[in-house]
Amino acid sequence: MNHFKSILLVWAFVILPINLFAGEKEKTIDIPEIVLHHMSDAYEWHIAGSLSVPLPIIVYGEDGWFFGTSEGIVKHGKLFFDESHHGKIFEKMSDGTVRRPLDLSMTKSVCQIWIVAIILIVVFLSVAKWYKKRDCTSEAPRGFVGAMEMIVMTIHDDVVKGCVGEKHYKKYAPYLLTVFFFILVTNLLGLLPVFPGGANVTGNINVTFFLAICTMLMVNIFGSKEYWKEILWPEVPFFLKAYPVPLIPVIELVGIFTKPFALMVRLFANMMAGHAIILSFTCVIFLGWTLGVGMGIGLNLFSVIMLLFMNCVELLVAFVQAYVFTLLSAVFIGLAHPEHHSS
């Protein structure tokens, strides 16, 4: 009953005034365009209403380097934002053609990554400071430090040590723990609708591509001789690995790229889908009021309930996706050291 009262209060004091204002301003709402706009990267950080913080733009084009903000791009003669490509910067060349310049701008996703890095540094330095003041005879940590120890030991013992193996896990534990906490904190910040959250970082395929590439390099650069022997000359009948075509080696070589591809797409698709659903239900709140008072009230109540439900689900998904990416990365790394399975 208390939850129902809370929903009514949110609708009465937040959703209803917004709809009254929006109903006078907008008669049609393009939900797909709104969702795609909010999920795409941006050269400014939207705070609230019309308040936005411009981010530094660094572009190298035909006329050299350009340093400035989005306002400077508007005044520039050749550079412009192309809305058909989600607002990316393009350049009009002297021969009349249009192309993308070298773009090294501090976009919203880049700033979000820096914020996540700062948060992780502060958190782990503060936890390390707590441990420096204690020894093995001290009491077990409580509160936030205790929670961090529980999460770290769970990932370290159950995932890293269990999947990579006793012989090699220490070498890969720092990377796998860093990946887990980076994805987790990024996912959680992405659920915040206001600064310092709101950026769809793990829903950006470029970010998940980089994380997958890091895992692929870890697997293949530091893989053992037995790992490459199983790929290039596996213990199968000769006609399967050499004559008339090296069938099994070709399949194994393709697997080198399909494994990180699965990591990339899994994280990207799950996080993008979650953000898209939440944004869609938010748009339904505005859309409902344009259909009339009766329909608007019903759709608003339904949207608020679904928003609360989806945000709770996304809290779970934020942890699950970080855990799954780390687990699969640890499994792939463990498969690159097959000697620990036969020991």
Side-chain angles (χ1 to χ4, degrees):
M1 189 67 182
N2 291 331
H3 294 293
F4 182 71
K5 290 180 179 178
S6 300
I7 293 172
L8 288 178
L9 289 173
V10 170
W11 177 82
F13 292 101
V14 179
I15 306 302
L16 183 59
I18 291 175
N19 280 332
L20 288 173
F21 176 78
E24 297 178 359
K25 298 292 184 180
E26 296 287 343
K27 296 301 180 183
T28 59
I29 298 177
D30 189 353
I31 293 180
E33 178 63 27
I34 294 174
V35 172
L36 291 175
H37 174 73
H38 282 276
M39 291 180 61
S40 60
D41 206 357
Y43 295 96
E44 59 182 13
W45 199 304
H46 180 259
I47 304 299
S50 59
L51 178 61
S52 297
V53 177
L55 300 174
I57 294 177
I58 306 172
V59 174
Y60 182 78
E62 187 179 31
D63 297 332
W65 290 98
F66 170 84
F67 300 91
T69 61
S70 55
E71 296 180 356
I73 292 292
V74 174
K75 298 177 182 178
H76 197 278
K78 293 184 176 181
L79 300 175
F80 65 96
F81 296 107
D82 190 350
E83 295 300 329
S84 62
H85 291 82
H86 305 292
K88 296 297 183 181
I89 297 177
F90 279 76
E91 181 182 19
K92 296 178 182 178
M93 306 298 291
S94 56
D95 58 0
T97 59
V98 176
R99 68 171 180 84
R100 283 210 66 188
L102 177 63
D103 192 351
L104 303 177
S105 305
M106 292 287 292
T107 61
K108 186 177 180 180
S109 294
V110 175
C111 292
Q112 183 79 90
I113 291 173
W114 279 105
I115 293 173
V116 171
I118 293 172
I119 291 175
L120 291 178
I121 291 172
V122 171
V123 167
F124 283 105
L125 286 180
S126 61
V127 172
K129 184 178 180 181
W130 187 93
Y131 279 100
K132 285 182 179 180
K133 298 179 180 179
R134 273 86 175 170
D135 54 27
C136 59
T137 61
S138 302
E139 293 184 358
R142 300 178 181 178
F144 179 75
V145 177
M148 290 297 300
E149 179 181 305
M150 179 191 68
I151 297 174
V152 170
M153 296 310 298
T154 298
I155 301 300
H156 182 272
D157 294 343
D158 297 342
V159 177
V160 180
K161 192 174 181 180
C163 296
V164 178
E166 294 278 350
K167 187 176 180 180
H168 302 281
Y169 78 93
K170 291 183 180 180
K171 181 166 57 175
Y172 300 101
Y175 166 71
L176 293 171
L177 284 169
T178 301
V179 167
F180 172 80
F181 280 103
F182 172 79
I183 297 176
L184 177 62
V185 176
T186 302
N187 291 346
L188 293 176
L189 280 182
L191 295 176
L192 295 178
V194 295
F195 183 85
N200 186 31
V201 175
T202 45
N204 187 326
I205 193 115
N206 296 312
V207 176
T208 59
F209 172 77
F210 176 77
L211 294 174
I213 287 295
C214 290
T215 296
M216 186 181 74
L217 294 176
M218 284 282 182
V219 171
N220 295 286
I221 291 178
F222 303 106
S224 65
K225 294 181 180 179
E226 288 79 5
Y227 166 72
W228 285 106
K229 181 178 179 295
E230 290 181 0
I231 292 178
L232 301 176
W233 198 254
E235 295 181 1
V236 296
F238 183 78
F239 71 91
L240 290 176
K241 60 184 177 183
Y243 182 82
V245 292
L247 181 61
I248 299 301
V250 169
I251 294 175
E252 292 292 339
L253 287 173
V254 172
I256 291 177
F257 301 97
T258 56
K259 290 174 183 177
F261 179 79
L263 283 176
M264 174 187 71
V265 174
R266 181 189 297 272
L267 179 59
F268 161 72
N270 280 281
M271 299 312 302
M272 183 186 68
H275 283 276
I277 292 173
I278 291 176
L279 288 170
S280 298
F281 279 120
T282 305
C283 291
V284 169
I285 295 174
F286 295 91
L287 179 63
W289 197 253
T290 65
L291 302 177
V293 177
M295 184 67 72
I297 293 174
L299 284 177
N300 286 347
L301 290 176
F302 172 76
S303 299
V304 170
I305 294 172
M306 291 304 298
L307 276 174
L308 294 175
F309 172 75
M310 284 304 303
N311 275 280
C312 292
V313 171
E314 282 297 300
L315 284 175
L316 177 63
V317 171
F319 177 84
V320 170
Q321 290 304 315
Y323 181 85
V324 169
F325 190 98
T326 308
L327 176 65
L328 292 177
S329 297
V331 170
F332 297 153
I333 292 173
L335 292 175
H337 299 279
E339 66 271 10
H340 82 270
H341 294 293
S342 58
S343 59

